[in-house]
Amino acid sequence: MSMLSKKEFAARRRELMDQMEPNSIAIVPAAPARTRSRDTEYPYRQDSDFFYLSGFPEPEAVLVLIPGRPHGEYVLFCRERDRAMEIWNGFRAGPEGAVKDFGADDAFPIGDLDEILPGLIEGRERVYYQMGRDAEFDRHVMNWVNTIRAKVRSGAHPPGEFIALDHLLHDMRLFKSPAEIKVMQKAADITANAHLRAMEKCRPGMMEFQLEAEFLHEFSREGSRFPAYSSIVGGGANACVLHYIDNDCELKDGDLVLIDAGAEYQHYAADITRTFPVNGKFSREQRALYDVVLKAQLAAIRAVKPGNHWNEPHEAALKELVKGLVELGLLQGKVDELIASEAYRRFYMHRTGHWLGMDVHDVGDYKVGDEWRVLEPGMVLTVEPGLYVAADDDTVDSKWRGIGIRIEDDVLVTEKGRKILTAAAPKDPDEIEALMAKVKPKRKKKAA
Ligand code: GLY
Ligand code: MN
Ligand code: MN
């Protein structure tokens, strides 16, 4: 059951159409199905923009919005019903279902696109379209326009202007409605529980992919059939590989494990990272670095509030990270100068977050002109500072080497400040140790 009503989708289309210039048309294609090997496909994931406006889950579809069109403003092209195909591959809505169940004013078979769409474009001054994302579809769009151009001598009016659709649409997606926030909270809750489960199940000697399996299990049984992105489960120095997804090493006693994993629920992502000791107890060095990252993360979260700009959480985190690195002797010098010279980049080479929504690295501008974007209620972002000491970094004492830590939460900007959607995933190191000690199986005494 979709948590988003038909009304919500209709309101989005209305809002977009109200912002379009007069006498215009918007064209948004569905995502193609993609081959995984020979004749098997990846599980289908609808394009986020297309789904945002339609709620329509099938491939081979094109959404067309024509504000003010008397015969209907919302036209959907989709696959026809086909008994044989449906027996093999599953249900299709067909043009009838597109109208009845998905709110289209008018719907046509996708096979009629070349025949019908030029007629819908003809006479419209402007075409809103995301050029350059899908080369094959770009070619179709140009062909349709050229079909009209070829008929100018018979009085046809080709469009005079192409406008990037993403500015309008992605700004809408940046602000989450109350209903969207509920879906994101559900994705966050599922993910937080999965991180808890991983802390409970983790034992030295397990493989990283076995811990990953705990996430897939927990996600799937809660209705999140697929993660929002490939899970990162990195034991020891693997945590220093930022996009580590091999997940095929053994988790060793004495190492930390960094897990960056998030559920996708009804097309909305969660994105949580937790780092904890494989054996349930932080070493002195691990704990010292962890405390620095946690302090930085809490400072960054405090900087998430309306009126602050996008970069303020990053700046707050950076200050704490560099201060901590100096205190522990991993960097030498003055905090401000080390920040200005970017000397910290050896240990912290990514930014502190990104927008979060239907895509894990969600759409929306980070700057308006030359200025950082100001945070406003309804925006959701991640806060994810980390520290990574490469295993071969011989500029630091060997005791620090091969430790990688990141702590990541999903934060909603509210009127009063912020709400941490992922607060249910433990990150306090004492709490993590207590939790892991509680579930650790009692060691059996060896028989004498
Ligand atoms: N999981 C991707 C990220 O944290 O940005
Ligand atoms: Mn992230
Ligand atoms: Mn992440």
Side-chain angles (χ1 to χ4, degrees):
M1 244 314 250
S2 170
M3 285 176 73
L4 296 176
S5 67
K6 279 194 222 174
K7 265 195 190 153
E8 176 107 3
F9 290 103
R12 293 169 178 177
R13 292 190 295 270
R14 182 78 269 147
E15 191 183 335
L16 177 63
M17 286 195 276
D18 287 348
Q19 292 180 71
M20 287 164 64
E21 299 276 343
N23 202 19
S24 58
I25 181 168
I27 302 171
V28 185
R34 294 180 207 278
T35 303
R36 182 171 186 276
S37 93
R38 196 163 149 79
D39 59 354
T40 63
E41 288 173 352
Y42 283 104
Y44 185 66
R45 167 55 157 83
Q46 187 54 279
D47 175 78
S48 296
D49 285 337
F50 181 92
F51 194 84
Y52 181 81
L53 292 171
S54 68
F56 193 72
E58 298 180 26
E60 296 181 73
V62 175
L63 170 144
V64 181
L65 296 177
I66 316 165
R69 177 173 174 261
H71 301 301
E73 299 179 302
Y74 171 28
V75 180
L76 194 62
F77 292 85
C78 63
R79 302 179 303 190
E80 286 187 277
R81 301 290 307 268
D82 179 325
R83 194 166 159 71
M85 291 302 281
E86 288 181 53
I87 286 172
W88 285 93
N89 299 324
F91 179 74
R92 296 174 169 193
E96 313 78 26
V99 171
K100 192 166 141 286
D101 301 323
F102 292 91
D105 296 319
D106 223 350
F108 302 102
I110 188 75
D112 294 349
L113 195 60
D114 286 333
E115 203 176 301
I116 295 175
L117 197 51
L120 296 176
I121 298 172
E122 214 254 284
R124 303 273 151 189
E125 254 327 295
R126 299 167 190 86
V127 179
Y128 286 79
Y129 172 65
Q130 233 183 106
M131 192 68 78
R133 210 161 72 157
D134 175 341
E136 197 184 325
F137 201 82
D138 287 355
R139 259 198 312 279
H140 284 294
V141 173
M142 288 327 298
N143 283 342
W144 296 322
V145 171
N146 284 335
T147 306
I148 306 167
R149 284 180 183 151
K151 293 184 189 153
V152 282
R153 281 186 297 279
S154 333
H157 288 286
E161 214 181 322
F162 274 90
I163 303 181
L165 178 66
D166 19 336
H167 286 307
L168 297 181
L169 192 53
H170 293 176
D171 215 59
M172 284 172 60
R173 280 179 54 190
L174 178 56
F175 293 88
K176 276 70 181 177
S177 71
E180 284 181 289
I181 290 163
K182 278 194 188 140
V183 185
M184 291 191 73
Q185 184 63 68
K186 175 80 179 168
D189 289 345
I190 294 171
T191 306
N193 269 332
H195 278 269
L196 254 170
R197 183 183 171 95
M199 288 173 194
E200 289 169 1
K201 296 280 180 187
C202 186
R203 305 279 181 276
M206 275 175 81
M207 299 298 284
E208 292 164 341
F209 55 71
Q210 291 178 315
L211 215 43
E212 181 183 12
E214 300 296 340
F215 280 83
L216 297 176
H217 170 94
E218 189 69 25
F219 289 177
S220 213
R221 65 193 288 267
E222 293 300 325
S224 154
R225 293 287 312 287
F226 305 102
Y229 53 92
S230 299
S231 307
I232 296 168
V233 182
N238 290 340
C240 300
V241 180
L242 296 179
H243 290 160
Y244 177 78
I245 53 168
D246 290 345
N247 302 352
D248 59 357
C249 293
E250 191 181 313
L251 294 163
K252 300 226 169 67
D253 202 348
D255 278 351
L256 294 177
V257 58
L258 180 155
I259 305 180
D260 185 342
E264 180 175 282
Y265 188 76
Q266 296 192 2
H267 296 83
Y268 286 81
D271 183 9
I272 302 182
T273 308
R274 290 293 182 262
T275 311
F276 57 89
V278 170
N279 65 12
K281 191 104 188 73
F282 287 91
S283 73
R284 189 197 301 257
E285 288 75 25
Q286 290 165 352
R287 175 68 187 251
L289 281 174
Y290 189 94
D291 286 343
V292 173
V293 176
L294 184 56
K295 206 167 169 192
Q297 205 235 9
L298 295 174
I301 288 175
R302 280 195 299 275
V304 176
K305 57 180 173 192
N308 272 9
H309 65 65
W310 165 258
N311 212 38
E312 281 179 77
H314 180 63
E315 288 164 2
L318 213 46
K319 209 165 179 174
E320 290 298 337
L321 290 175
V322 173
K323 217 164 92 188
L325 288 168
V326 170
E327 278 166 16
L328 295 176
L330 283 111
L331 283 176
Q332 287 84 35
K334 291 210 172 86
V335 171
D336 289 349
E337 285 165 16
L338 293 165
I339 290 175
S341 67
E342 300 193 346
Y344 59 85
R345 285 189 69 92
R346 208 162 79 246
F347 306 115
Y348 185 47
M349 55 299 280
H350 60 79
R351 294 192 50 87
T352 303
H354 49 82
W355 302 130
L356 184 72
M358 297 182 78
D359 295 302
V360 62
H361 296 156
D362 208 32
V363 294
D365 291 332
Y366 291 96
K367 278 193 166 177
V368 179
D370 284 338
E371 302 291 325
W372 290 112
R373 182 137 200 171
V374 172
L375 299 177
E376 294 178 55
M379 295 173 165
V380 180
L381 59 145
T382 67
V383 178
E384 50 179 307
L387 285 175
Y388 314 89
V389 188
D392 60 356
D393 187 341
D394 54 14
T395 67
V396 299
D397 195 316
S398 60
K399 66 184 180 182
W400 302 112
R401 292 180 206 162
I403 300 179
I405 295 163
R406 177 164 67 256
I407 306 171
E408 174 175 30
D409 281 299
D410 304 343
V411 184
L412 164 71
V413 184
T414 63
E415 298 285 346
K416 293 207 178 95
R418 73 208 66 82
K419 181 177 184 212
I420 305 174
L421 302 178
T422 47
K427 63 182 173 184
D428 177 90
D430 294 328
E431 193 185 333
I432 291 173
E433 284 187 347
L435 186 138
M436 292 183 76
K438 212 165 62 191
V439 294
K440 224 168 170 182
K442 301 239 170 4
R443 272 178 211 276
K444 279 192 195 140
K445 281 207 182 115
K446 277 198 188 135

